[in-house]
């Protein structure tokens, strides 16, 4: 006989485990199904370990600039194996932390691969079948956590899909684990290649470009669109590109990798910009052309769950077209961000409980890219605001006018704000420079509170801090900036 729960969550990434914990807090008997690693891709092979790698790159960069700070660091070298091991240790710590949190909140863990076998109907709960987990081809299999349940049949009044996403592979350019990498291989190199070609200049592409460049790898990035970081404001992306080019990263925009020819220990890439084609020989290629939702082998089609462009269609509170079946996070569509998944999951289970829940306002979800320089944003770009018909005011404040930035030795950066002229409503904010990923939340809070320019101008920001750039950019939109 199938064991029954109130809620079963499939997938234990940031969206899944947060959803399960919130469900348990609300009094639901809850279980979570996982086939690979607690914490999902984000904690084990994505957000967290890449930030650990980038922290090592950042410290190396400062060591190389020690003389700028009146210091000396002669013979500052590195051991790439130790850099990688530190990153893996950070992931292991957080992986264990997720297990602790699930246990603390009374969430059962079911280890295996789940398939939906029945939607909720005619008074019967939804049902899933869990089979032994299959080892993914590109990833090491972690040990099964202690105290978890195994394969079998399970039922729940509500089943929430939080199965995440995986790297997208272009035909003829599929990662092979040796010459052509996905981000899995790029995160654990046994040695550094002399040269690396990155296809795609989104967050994943430029973050790895920054990391490998910091350790002396000759990096070239190919981007199909005319702008790197295509989702970002054009002015901010241009500043980021200039800074990264100054560091030695080459960008080929408006171009595509038309063909890859593999040799014994290198790859010859044919890059076509629509006017001519050139060949580039590199030791390794990193495919960073985005991700696609994990919707296969879940039984969605059989139960009438609608999918679109590789993702599950939901109503904004996680409900799908099949009763008792929900979806949150990457598998429910863009933006494919961990913090979006967490908030989406909380809203989903609170709506199930009957609490007042609001669909996530996607225009207020911040995005952060941890390349050097960092890039962060929320809301409309200048171009999108104009396309939408807004009459806008734009404020800009450069880091060179900020005392803390100069003291840090980080004077290259910009904060850009976009307001509706008639109402003073904040439509968007875009930042590039040191630690801007830690600044953007100020704009997110302001947008959620529907703060106007007048209220932001009246806010007292501490001195000396980088946050003062927020204040000055708002002042500049109304011609009142003080320090430029």
């Amino acid at each position: 006989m199938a064991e029954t729960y109130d809620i079963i969550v499939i997938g234990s990434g940031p969206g899944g485990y947060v959803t399960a914990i919130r469900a348990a807090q609300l009094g639901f008997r809850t279980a979570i199904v996982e086939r690979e690693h607690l914490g999902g891709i984000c904690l084990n092979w994505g957000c967290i370990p890449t930030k650990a790698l980038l922290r090592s790159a950042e410290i190396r960069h400062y060591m190389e600039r020690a003389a700028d700070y009146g210091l000396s660091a002669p013979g500052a070298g590195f051991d790439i194996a130790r850099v990688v091991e530190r990153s893996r240790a950070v992931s292991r710590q957080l992986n264990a932390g997720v297990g602790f949190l699930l246990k603390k909140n009374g969430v059962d863990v079911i280890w295996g691969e789940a398939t939906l076998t029945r939607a909720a109907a005619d008074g019967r709960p939804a049902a899933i079948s869990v089979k032994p987990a299959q080892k993914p081809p590109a990833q090491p299999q972690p040990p099964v956590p202690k105290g978890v349940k195994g394969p079998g049949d399970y039922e729940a009044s509500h089943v929430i899909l939080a199965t995440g996403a995986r790297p997208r592979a272009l035909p003829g350019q599929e990662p092979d684990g040796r010459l052509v990498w996905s981000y899995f291989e790029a995160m654990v190199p046994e040695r550094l290649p002399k040269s690396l070609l990155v296809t795609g200049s989104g967050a994943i592409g430029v973050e790895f470009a920054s990391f490998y460049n910091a350790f002396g790898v000759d990096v070239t990035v190919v981007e199909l669109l005319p702008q790197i970081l295509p989702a970002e404001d054009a002015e901010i992306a241009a500043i980021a590109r200039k800074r990264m080019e100054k560091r030695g990263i080459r960008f080929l925009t408006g171009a595509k990798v038309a063909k890859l020819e593999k040799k014994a220990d290198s790859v010859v890439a044919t890059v076509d910009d629509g006017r001519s084609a050139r060949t580039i020989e590199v030791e390794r290629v990193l495919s960073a052309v985005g991700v696609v939702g994990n919707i296969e082998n879940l039984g969605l089609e059989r139960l009438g769950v609608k999918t679109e462009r590789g993702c599950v269609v939901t109503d904004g509170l996680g409900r799908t077209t099949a009763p008792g079946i929900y979806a949150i996070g990457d598998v429910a569509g863009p933006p494919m961000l961990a913090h979006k998944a967490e908030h989406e999951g909380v809203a989903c289970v609170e709506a199930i409980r009957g609490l007042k829940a609001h669909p996530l306002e996607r225009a207020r979800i911040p995005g952060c890219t941890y390349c050097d320089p960092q890039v962060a944003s929320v809301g409309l770009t200048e171009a999108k605001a104009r396309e939408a018909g807004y009459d806008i005011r734009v404020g800009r404040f450069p880091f060179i006018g900020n005392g803390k930035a100069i003291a840090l030795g980080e004077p290259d950066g910009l904060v850009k704000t976009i307001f509706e002229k008639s109402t003073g409503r904040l439509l968007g904010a875009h930042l590039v420079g040191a630690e801007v990923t830690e600044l953007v939340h100020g704009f997110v809070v302001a947008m959620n509170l529907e703060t106007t320019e007048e209220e932001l101008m009246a806010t007292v920001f501490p001195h000396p801090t980088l946050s003062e750039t927020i204040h000055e950019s708002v002042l500049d939109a109304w011609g009142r900036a003080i320090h430029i």
Side-chain angles (χ1 to χ4, degrees):
M1 185 175 178
E3 187 167 1
T4 301
Y5 290 87
D6 298 318
I7 289 179
I8 292 178
V9 181
I10 301 176
S12 73
Y17 84 77
V18 168
T19 301
I21 289 172
R22 182 60 182 139
Q25 289 175 345
L26 291 171
F28 291 116
R29 184 168 190 253
T30 307
I32 193 165
V33 183
E34 177 53 53
R35 67 178 184 179
E36 295 173 41
H37 14 239
L38 295 177
I41 292 299
C42 179
L43 267 65
N44 294 275
W45 292 99
C47 323
I48 300 300
T50 55
K51 304 313 163 282
L53 293 174
L54 287 163
R55 177 61 169 167
S56 294
E58 180 184 36
I59 291 174
R60 174 169 168 75
H61 174 59
Y62 281 122
M63 291 172 69
E64 291 176 331
R65 294 175 54 198
D68 295 346
Y69 298 89
L71 306 172
S72 61
F78 66 89
D79 181 339
I80 193 61
R82 292 178 66 184
V83 170
V84 170
E85 174 51 30
R86 177 181 179 273
S87 169
R88 302 315 308 155
V90 169
S91 286
R92 287 193 296 271
Q93 179 179 342
L94 290 172
N95 174 281
V98 170
F100 167 78
L101 290 172
L102 292 170
K103 183 177 180 180
K104 173 186 173 184
N105 285 276
V107 177
D108 287 346
V109 176
I110 303 168
W111 203 253
E113 202 158 336
T115 301
L116 296 164
T117 57
R118 185 178 71 230
D122 302 322
R124 302 176 70 196
I128 66 170
S129 173
V130 179
K131 297 181 179 179
Q134 300 297 309
K135 180 179 178 180
Q139 304 165 49
Q141 187 79 337
V144 177
K146 293 180 180 179
V148 304
K149 300 189 177 184
D153 295 324
Y154 297 88
E155 294 180 343
S157 301
H158 312 277
V159 174
I160 301 174
L161 305 177
T163 49
R166 64 185 183 279
R168 185 187 300 276
L170 297 179
Q173 300 176 34
E174 295 87 354
D176 61 14
R178 194 175 75 85
L179 296 175
V180 182
W181 291 347
S182 69
Y183 56 73
F184 295 111
E185 293 81 25
M187 216 168 292
V188 289
E190 294 181 0
R191 66 173 182 85
L192 290 176
K194 291 185 175 66
S195 54
L196 176 70
L197 178 69
V198 180
T199 60
S201 72
I204 294 173
V206 296
E207 286 183 1
F208 276 111
S210 287
F211 171 74
Y212 278 93
N213 168 261
F215 287 96
V217 177
D218 183 17
V219 178
T220 301
V221 180
V222 177
E223 170 56 52
L224 181 62
L225 297 174
Q227 171 188 314
I228 73 164
L229 294 166
E232 301 296 340
D233 183 88
E235 185 176 4
I236 296 297
I239 293 171
R241 176 174 182 165
K242 185 176 180 180
R243 280 278 305 278
M244 286 188 274
E245 286 178 333
K246 190 175 180 180
R247 294 281 299 275
I249 299 174
R250 285 184 297 276
F251 291 96
L252 303 176
T253 49
K256 66 178 180 179
V257 175
K259 184 174 67 171
L260 294 178
E261 179 187 348
K262 298 179 184 178
K263 295 188 173 182
D265 197 33
S266 65
V267 181
V268 177
T270 301
V271 180
D272 188 348
D273 65 4
R275 299 180 299 276
S276 62
R278 71 175 88 176
T279 58
I280 303 172
E281 186 167 358
V282 294
E283 283 200 2
R284 297 293 182 267
V285 173
L286 168 59
S287 177
V289 290
V291 296
V292 59
N294 291 319
I295 63 172
E296 297 81 8
N297 305 316
L298 289 170
L300 303 182
E301 302 86 354
R302 183 174 62 255
L303 300 186
V305 177
K306 183 180 179 182
T307 61
E308 201 171 83
R309 298 182 180 179
C311 296
V312 177
V313 176
T314 70
D315 68 350
L317 287 173
R319 291 179 287 245
T320 72
T321 49
I325 309 298
Y326 308 76
I328 60 101
D330 290 359
V331 76
M336 293 181 174
L337 301 167
H339 43 282
K340 173 256 193 183
E342 293 175 5
H343 281 261
E344 212 167 31
V346 169
C348 178
V349 294
E350 288 184 349
I352 291 171
R353 174 50 78 193
L355 301 179
K356 187 176 182 180
H358 300 281
L360 203 58
E361 178 54 68
R362 299 195 178 206
R364 296 177 182 174
I365 300 172
C368 296
T369 304
Y370 298 82
C371 51
D372 185 6
Q374 292 183 8
V375 175
S377 61
V378 64
L380 297 176
T381 64
E382 180 179 356
K384 291 293 184 183
R386 295 189 189 281
E387 286 174 16
Y390 288 105
D391 186 13
I392 62 175
R393 284 181 177 267
V394 179
R396 298 175 178 85
F397 191 79
F399 274 33
I400 192 64
N402 177 264
K404 180 65 177 292
I406 294 171
L408 290 174
E410 297 287 353
D412 297 325
L414 180 73
V415 176
K416 178 176 181 179
T417 47
I418 300 159
F419 292 89
E420 185 177 26
K421 184 183 293 185
S422 61
T423 65
R425 179 161 63 109
L426 179 61
L427 299 174
H430 307 273
L431 308 85
V432 58
E435 300 302 328
V436 296
T437 57
E438 299 291 343
L439 296 180
V440 70
H441 72 278
F443 288 117
V444 179
V445 171
M447 291 180 76
N448 275 293
L449 295 176
E450 299 182 350
T451 304
T452 66
E453 95 293 348
E454 183 177 350
E455 292 161 325
L456 284 167
M457 288 181 187
T459 300
V460 178
F461 287 79
H463 175 79
T465 65
L466 294 175
S467 69
E468 291 174 281
T469 59
I470 294 175
H471 191 216
E472 291 273 10
S473 68
V474 177
L475 291 171
D476 184 62
W478 268 262
R480 292 175 49 184
I482 302 296
H483 292 97
I484 52 171

